[in-house]
Each structure stands twice: as structure tokens, then as C-alpha cells.
Amino acid sequence: MHLRDSESDAEFRAELRAWLADAVTTLPAPPDATDWPGRRQFDTVWQNMLFEAGYAGVNWPAEYGGRGATPTQHLIFLEEAAAAKAPDVGVGFVGQMHAGPTLIAEGTPEQQAHHLRGILTGDHVWCQGFSEPGAGSDLASLRTRAIRDGDDYVVTGQKIWTSHAMVADYCELLVRTDPDAAKHKGITWLILPMDTPGIDVRPLMTVQGSAEFAELFLDEVRIPVANRVGEENDGWRVTNVTLSFERGTGFVGELLDTTNIMGELVELAQRTPRGAGTVWDDDGLRRDIGAIAAELDALWAFTKRNVSQGAKGGMAMGSGSAFKMSYATVVHKLGDIALRVLDRSSLAFDDIGGESTGAQIHHKLKGFAVGIGGGTSQIQQNIIAERVLGLPRER
Amino acid sequence: MDLDPSEDQRELQQMVRRFSLDRFPADTVRDFAAPGHFDRSAWRELAELGTFGIALPESAGGVGLRWIDTVLVHEALGAALTPGPLVAATLAAGLVPGVLEGEVVPAIVERPTHGAVVVEHLSVADVLLVIETDGIRQLDPSSLDATLLAEPTDPATPVSLVRELPLGELIANADTAKHLRLLGSLLASAQLVGNAEGSTALAVNYAQEREQFGRPIGSFQGLKHLLADCYARTEVSRSAVWAAGVLVDEPEAGDLHRAVAGARVLAGRAAAENGKTCVQVHGGMGFTWEVDAHLFLKRAWILETAFGSIDEAAEQVAESLSASLA
Ligand SMILES: Cc1cc2nc3c(=O)[nH]c(=O)nc-3n(C[C@H](O)[C@H](O)[C@H](O)COP(=O)(O)OP(=O)(O)OC[C@H]3O[C@@H](n4cnc5c(N)ncnc54)[C@H](O)[C@@H]3O)c2cc1C
């Protein structure tokens, strides 16, 4: 066991660091969180720069246009990008983390040829149409109906919580193709071009005050059968290929972001006068922050452990769940401390007193996104209890 | 980077755990602290496995592995609830002749800033090491004004009250003292991780067997979620402890002091919380002397205070944050 970089990893890190240092200085100012076309444009520019420099799809196989780097180097990439304060994956999330890997694993050569490059260059933005009003944690109960009509599926139904749907070109869509089969057995995975007639996207305002996700109304939307990934009624298996990308390393960027936010909170606490000194002089608060930092360090070590296992063939069952639920808890705890540090400056999302106080409140609310999106913490607990600890199912 | 133990390392852990469960079964652990119950021959056998010299060079009689391996061994010892001055012996093995072989049994304590001092395992020790700011001093336990306490919190950990520690002979310098304190904290944390895992396994086992309302209590989500939390705490704290263990061997790869302090915060909490859950999951049985649940919990409380408290550790991490900003 070791933590230091191997020679080739150290080389990779050094080259990347040098490139990042230059690259971030050429970026335009980031757009406002509510300016969706601007956000898409900004994220695409960055992704394009990564592509040109050979850093797009670091962990994708080289034969599909990726860098074919080791999981460890992928981790180094994410670490260095965060350290350089480079933009995160942004609207490229679903394409790079879910849709792309699914197409690599399950797509036809035509589908791969048509889609993968666009994801890597940043020109194709994807969204994920899985959840429905009636199908959240119990995703397999989804009801959006697809009826075969010649070379098309005709799809009618409703999706919800579809992140970035407002600016997406494609949607990875789960539909029901066999309503009579057992719920896991009648689902199909389709590629939906978002400019197809019959789609109505209605943005939903989140607790953070911006429209990160949307409702998707589908009314007799025609999707070519050629857009099916995997066999008809085999979509649940295809979906699980996707979900396995969603847990574990998928949160590395977020974890590093949280670590940055914590660093900013410490600085803020040291600058904020309270009583005879500053907020940082408060023993209780300082220790609570110390404990949070320890937890973030531990989650970083956990990530390295998972990546190490991944490099040897696979993460241990339950590690992704344990990571995700623990991370959600830490974000909540950090947010609680942020309110104690901010005190009355927490009354607005606006920055107060020349400090970036708003970012702390935004981040506090993010705890919910982590603990709800992609399988709630309770669902992660169920997974650990039943599949790792072997406790009997409730029903 | 590789933070996943090798096959050999896992086998080493299993070997130590099996040996320990075999030679120190729960029934002997239960009243290990009672006078005359310390089993010197079992202790010698444990020493013969190489337990106390994992990271000592072979030229010094050790196994010649690294500190991370020592950490893994202590994790296994903690999971098996192995009794005795395990951390003391591992720290003293390179300093006091006979400890490595299990012939000389050591106790170790930090000199308190004031007042009397509580020392674990003093009643069975042949030598007492005192960690001081200027180095490590050695004392003869029989020369001390010490009282063996009648009711130690952990029935497997005898404790004595020493009214005043004399100075003693200086056997190592200040740097060694500092380093040993750090290692002592880390090894106690490693045992805490094993303890957290052990109490979880005990609770899961009971939850699968015990039935109420016509089904195993482990099918109730209220218990499932408590136990899933135990699992998550164990794995997160284990990651922290392993990273700290690797940093002892590769100090250039990170902030060792912060890692050891952070590991204590996580491992201390994990063991204490999991131990509580273990008692709760056992219901009335959990409140009995007979069930092992309290042994895990009480050992966790003892280890949690070894070479620094959770509060002190959290403070250290906080200080490292402000130092890294300065
Ligand atoms: C920020 C964000 C972004 C998202 N982006 C997307 C996206 O891009 N695409 C997409 O398809 N979906 C997306 N989602 C949806 C997300 O996957 C669902 O919200 C999530 O799976 C939970 O489903 P639900 O909202 O219907 O809650 P429900 O399933 O109704 O859960 C409500 C509560 O009941 C609990 N609960 C439910 N079942 C159980 C059980 N068996 N045991 C114990 N407790 C249970 C839950 O833990 C929760 O506390 C996003 C969600 C968020 C918050």
C-alpha cells in the first residue's frame, strides 16, 4: 500500500498541472447561475479545451476517443483540476459520466460513432430522463409508455427532475415497452434527441433558486428503433450499467468542491469579528470544523481506496453507498457550521460584507441534492443492510 | 497510489485474528483484568508471531514490514478484542530488551500535567515507560506507589492509580517520544476500527437470529438503517486510519500529524457509536454482562482516550487548517 505517485503518475500530474495553470487563465468570466445558454456555452468552451489538449474522457478507453488513463490518473485529473480551480464537468455530467459509458458498454457501433465524439468535445449535451412523478426510489415502476410503430417507438408520458434538460441535445430515456411483464422486465433504454416534436420542457425552480432541473412532458414522441440501446425490455440491466458509474468516483469533483468550500469557510471564520476576537477563536466551532475536515480527509482516503480496488477489478459491494451517504451527511454538517459562522450574513444568498457568503448557503442546500439525487441516503442504507450485511428483506 | 491491502496483508490480518480468537477467547477476555488472569504464556505466543515487531527491521529481530502492516495487525487485534498492553508492547519493542519476545511486559503512560495518573496494565507490567516532552523515561512498576483499582471500566483492561510518577531513567530523546506518541495514537485508532467492525458483526449476527413479531428483527428498517450506519462509519474511519498508516511510511506524501489526528476523530466515534448500536440491537440481552456487546463498547471508551482525546485531535486538525492557509 502506498500513497505517493508512481513515476508515470507524477509525470502525468506535472504535465497536467502545467497545462491547467495556463488554460484556466484563458477562460471567460463564468456566467450567472440562471443564464442557461451562457452556462452551456461556458462548459462547452472548457470541454473543448480539454479535448484539444487530450484531457477529455481521461478514463474512457482510447479506442472510443478517451485518454485510456488508469483510474488513478483519472483521480489525479480531478484533483488537479479542482486545485487549479478549473470548471467542473457542468452540463457535461450526464454525457461524460452516464450516457457515454453506457454507450461504450452497450451501444451499437453506429450509436457510438454518432455520439461519443460529441460528448468528448462538449458539443453534445445530454440529460437523464429516468425519474417520474410516480417512480423515484422505486425507479423500476416507471410508466412512460413506448409503443412500437414500424421503425419507431411512440412515447407518451412524463419525466421529472431532469437536470439540464433545458439545454440538452439528447436524453437517456427509460420507457416501458411491456406493461404486462414484471416491473424490471418491461423497460427499454432509448436515445431521445431533444429537438424531436412532442417534447415539452418545463423548468422547475430548485431550493437554490435556479432551474437546475425540469419536467419533461412527452406526447406521442417518435423515437427511431435504431436509437434503442440494448435489447427491448432489457433496459433495466442497461440502466444498472449506468448507475454503477453514478456511485463512487462520480462524486470526486463534488468532494473536492466541498473541501474548497470548507477552506473558504475557515478563512471567513478567521476574518469575521465576534466577541473580543474572531469566529475562529470559538473553541467549540473550531473543533467542529476540525472534525468536518477529518471526515473530508477520510472520504478522500475512501475514494483512493475505492479507486485502488477499481483498478484491481472492482470496488467492494457497498462502498459506493457508504461513500455517498457519508458524503451527504458531511455536506449537511458543514452547512450547519456555515450558518454558525455567517450568523446574520446568512439571511441572503447575496454576498455580504465583501465576502462570498452566498456560496456557503448554496453549498449548504447542496447537501439535499447529494442525499436525494441518484438514490436517497435511505436507499443506500437499504442496499448496505441487505446486500452487504445480509439482513433479510422487509417484505 | 494503492490504498487497498494486498493478499499477503489480508492473510496477515486473518492469521492474527484467528490466533487471537483461539488463544484469547471471549471467556478469558471477560475477566482478563482480574488479578492473576494475565496469561503470560499466551502473551509470549502472541509475541512469537512477530506481533510486536512487525515494522522493526529483521536485523533487530523484527518482521521487517512497514507501519501500515502494523496498523493492519492492530485492526485485527481490535476486532478480536485481544486483551493486554498491545500498543505499549509495539511501541516499547524497539526500546526495551525482552518486550519483542514477550518476556518483558510493558505499560506506557503520558506524564500528566498535574495530579495522579491512571495507568493501564501496570499491575501486570515489568516495566513502565513514561512519555514526556523531553523524551521517554523508564520506571520499575514495583517501585511505585500504585493502587490496582477494583472495578476497571473495561473488565479486560486492569488499571492502577499512581499518585505520583517519579522521574526515572531517560531512555529515548524528545523526537522519539513525540513519534511514539503519534504511533500510539494511530495504533489505538487502528484497534478502534477493528472494534467498530467487530461490534457491528456481533449486532448483525444477532439481528439475523433473534425473532420478534414472527420475523428476524434484522428485517425491521429501524435496525437495518442503524446497522448500515455502523458499516459506513467503519469503512470511512478505516480509510482514514489506513491513509495515516501509509503516511508513517511515506511522510512526504501528505500531512502525517493531521492524518493521525483525523483518524482518531473518525475511529473513536465509529467504535463508540457502533458499540452503542450493538448494545441497543441486543435489547435486554445487550444490557447483560454475559453478552459481549459491552466488552466492545467499554474497550472503545478506553482506546478513545489513548494518546490524546477526540477533542484534542479535532483541535489539531483545525490548527492544521489554519496553518495551511497562513
Ligand atoms: C438535484 C437533483 C437532481 C436530479 N437529477 C435527476 C436527473 O437528471 N434525472 C433523473 O432521472 N432523476 C434525477 N433526480 C431524481 C432523483 O433520482 C430522485 O429524486 C430520487 O431517486 C428519489 O426519488 P423521489 O424524489 O421520487 O423520492 P421518493 O422515492 O418519493 O422518496 C421520498 C422519501 O421516501 C424515502 N423512501 C423511499 N423509498 C424508501 C424505502 N424503500 N426505504 C426507506 N425510505 C424510502 C426516501 O429516502 C425519501 O426520503 C434528481 C434529484 C435531485 C434532488
Side-chain angles (χ1 to χ4, degrees):
Chain A
M1 293 162 81
H2 56 96
L3 281 170
R4 70 166 91 86
D5 285 342
S6 68
E7 225 168 272
S8 56
D9 288 348
E11 219 170 276
F12 175 77
R13 190 191 290 279
E15 272 175 31
L16 173 64
R17 188 176 290 180
W19 180 80
L20 282 166
D22 266 353
V24 293
T25 60
T26 67
L27 277 168
D32 192 82
T34 56
D35 172 12
W36 276 99
R39 281 177 65 175
R40 180 187 162 136
Q41 167 71 12
F42 181 82
D43 292 347
T44 300
V45 165
W46 176 243
Q47 185 60 30
N48 229 297
M49 288 169 66
L50 289 172
F51 182 80
E52 292 301 329
Y55 292 119
V58 173
N59 59 332
W60 285 27
E63 63 206 281
Y64 296 103
R67 193 180 173 100
T70 61
T72 304
Q73 289 178 344
H74 187 217
L75 197 65
I76 291 173
F77 171 80
L78 294 165
E79 193 182 4
E80 290 297 323
K85 305 231 185 306
D88 63 20
V89 62
V91 300
F93 182 79
V94 171
Q96 288 177 47
M97 314 291 275
H98 303 211
T102 304
L103 291 175
I104 288 172
E106 301 287 333
T108 64
E110 293 75 28
Q111 289 166 348
Q112 292 169 347
H114 190 265
H115 291 288
L116 294 181
R117 195 186 143 87
I119 293 173
L120 290 177
T121 59
D123 292 318
H124 288 183
V125 172
W126 283 65
C127 62
Q128 183 183 68
F130 287 8
S131 305
E132 298 181 2
S137 298
D138 184 12
L139 179 61
S141 69
L142 61 93
R143 294 214 312 249
T144 292
R145 188 80 173 93
I147 297 169
R148 180 80 179 255
D149 180 25
D151 289 338
D152 289 339
Y153 287 105
V154 180
V155 179
T156 299
Q158 188 191 343
K159 294 290 170 180
I160 195 167
W161 323 126
T162 318
S163 303
H164 309 151
M166 303 71 78
V167 291
D169 307 301
Y170 296 96
C171 175
E172 41 174 24
L173 189 71
L174 288 184
V175 295
R176 178 143 322 267
T177 32
D178 184 351
D180 300 323
K183 65 180 179 180
H184 295 94
K185 300 245 165 81
I187 295 171
T188 300
W189 205 104
L190 298 176
I191 301 167
L192 166 66
M194 291 296 284
D195 57 2
T196 314
I199 305 174
D200 184 12
V201 178
R202 297 186 200 160
L204 287 167
M205 188 79 98
T206 73
V207 287
Q208 291 174 301
S210 62
E212 292 292 316
F213 48 34
E215 287 177 295
L216 224 60
F217 292 88
L218 306 170
D219 183 17
E220 302 202 346
V221 176
R222 298 191 84 88
I223 304 176
V225 173
N227 282 12
R228 190 182 70 211
V229 176
E231 295 302 310
E232 188 170 287
N233 298 327
D234 197 26
W236 187 254
R237 191 188 57 79
V238 177
T239 305
N240 281 316
V241 171
T242 319
L243 289 180
S244 70
F245 295 109
E246 193 162 10
R247 304 205 172 92
T249 47
F251 283 96
V252 169
E254 313 237 355
L255 177 61
L256 293 167
D257 177 47
T258 299
T259 306
N260 278 338
I261 288 282
M262 183 198 64
E264 286 174 21
L265 187 64
V266 170
E267 293 182 50
L268 192 59
Q270 290 176 332
R271 281 197 299 261
T272 305
R274 189 157 305 162
T278 70
V279 174
W280 189 245
D281 298 325
D282 177 335
D283 288 347
L285 196 136
R286 200 174 55 244
R287 282 175 196 176
D288 285 350
I289 296 185
I292 296 287
E295 288 186 58
L296 289 172
D297 285 351
L299 288 175
W300 184 233
F302 199 3
T303 300
K304 290 183 169 175
R305 219 178 120 196
N306 289 338
V307 168
S308 302
Q309 282 178 354
K312 292 180 193 173
M315 265 164 65
M317 180 70 151
S319 301
S321 295
F323 177 90
K324 185 174 178 289
M325 59 182 264
S326 305
Y327 174 51
T329 307
V330 177
V331 177
H332 279 303
K333 286 196 224 168
L334 180 62
D336 293 344
I337 294 176
L339 287 202
R340 285 160 65 195
V341 172
L342 262 55
D343 195 34
R344 301 284 293 172
S345 293
S346 68
L347 266 59
F349 281 100
D350 305 61
D351 289 338
I352 292 179
E355 302 282 6
S356 54
T357 52
Q360 297 292 337
I361 306 173
H362 273 289
H363 189 266
K364 176 170 175 55
L365 288 164
K366 187 171 146 180
F368 295 108
V370 179
I372 296 172
T376 67
S377 293
Q378 288 69 42
I379 295 300
Q380 308 305 334
Q381 287 172 309
N382 292 349
I383 290 172
I384 290 170
E386 288 171 9
R387 296 191 212 158
V388 182
L389 303 179
L391 294 170
R393 299 183 78 87
E394 201 155 19
R395 285 168 294 149
Chain B
M1 177 207 86
D2 180 8
L3 209 52
D4 186 47
S6 66
E7 267 320 299
D8 285 353
Q9 287 174 314
R10 287 182 197 282
E11 270 166 33
L12 174 66
Q13 281 192 303
Q14 275 157 20
M15 192 260 293
V16 169
R17 191 163 175 171
R18 265 197 311 270
F19 172 87
S20 187
L21 290 172
D22 181 53
R23 293 299 279 118
F24 302 92
D27 283 343
T28 66
V29 169
R30 196 171 294 283
D31 52 7
F32 198 78
H37 282 240
F38 182 75
D39 183 345
R40 277 193 173 254
S41 75
W43 187 255
R44 220 173 287 121
E45 283 178 57
L46 186 63
E48 278 162 15
L49 279 186
T51 311
F52 308 137
I54 300 286
L56 281 183
E58 284 175 87
S59 57
V63 184
L65 296 174
R66 298 179 312 157
W67 279 102
I68 179 60
D69 302 294
T70 313
V71 162
L72 294 172
V73 163
H74 278 261
E75 190 182 300
L77 294 168
L81 270 185
T82 315
L86 301 162
V87 174
T90 308
L91 298 180
L95 290 175
V96 181
V99 170
L100 182 65
E101 296 80 11
E103 302 293 341
V104 172
V105 177
I108 196 163
V109 74
E110 289 185 75
R111 180 174 293 278
T113 42
H114 48 78
V117 51
V118 177
V119 187
E120 295 121 281
H121 304 293
L122 186 69
S123 53
V124 299
D126 305 308
V127 51
L128 174 64
L129 299 188
V130 185
I131 297 187
E132 327 234 7
T133 41
D134 69 341
I136 295 175
R137 282 160 201 276
Q138 181 172 332
L139 291 170
D140 175 3
S142 65
S143 71
L144 300 173
D145 177 10
T147 315
L148 178 64
L149 298 179
E151 291 187 74
T153 304
D154 169 17
T157 307
V159 289
S160 302
L161 190 69
V162 181
R163 260 161 296 281
E164 220 190 293
L165 279 177
L167 254 192
E169 176 199 355
L170 196 65
I171 61 163
N173 64 20
D175 285 346
T176 306
K178 236 173 120 184
H179 193 57
L180 286 200
R181 185 179 193 266
L182 192 76
L183 291 173
S185 170
L186 177 58
L187 297 180
S189 295
Q191 286 189 39
L192 283 163
V193 168
N195 181 296
E197 181 185 12
S199 65
T200 304
L202 188 67
V204 166
N205 206 29
Y206 189 73
Q208 281 164 330
E209 280 170 8
R210 166 75 175 167
E211 295 199 0
Q212 283 294 278
F213 300 95
R215 47 191 173 140
I217 55 169
S219 67
F220 298 119
Q221 205 174 53
L223 291 197
K224 274 186 182 163
H225 285 191
L226 285 180
L227 292 168
D229 288 345
C230 290
Y231 170 82
R233 277 191 292 266
T234 305
E235 295 310 321
V236 174
S237 61
R238 172 175 283 154
S239 308
V241 167
W242 286 0
V246 172
L247 285 180
V248 178
D249 300 314
E250 297 175 1
E252 74 284 0
D255 182 342
L256 172 62
H257 284 81
R258 169 161 160 179
V260 169
R264 168 52 55 85
V265 174
L266 279 276
R269 283 186 186 168
E273 284 303 313
N274 293 10
K276 264 195 264 178
T277 301
C278 184
V279 172
Q280 183 69 20
V281 165
H282 279 80
M285 288 299 287
F287 202 62
T288 66
W289 192 262
E290 188 188 328
V291 167
D292 291 346
H294 72 114
L295 298 180
F296 281 103
L297 182 57
K298 290 169 177 174
R299 183 71 63 83
W301 289 344
I302 303 287
L303 290 168
E304 202 184 291
T305 67
F307 304 99
S309 66
I310 291 181
D311 274 335
E312 183 192 324
E315 181 71 51
Q316 277 172 13
V317 177
E319 277 164 20
S320 84
L321 290 174
S322 73
S324 66
L325 293 173

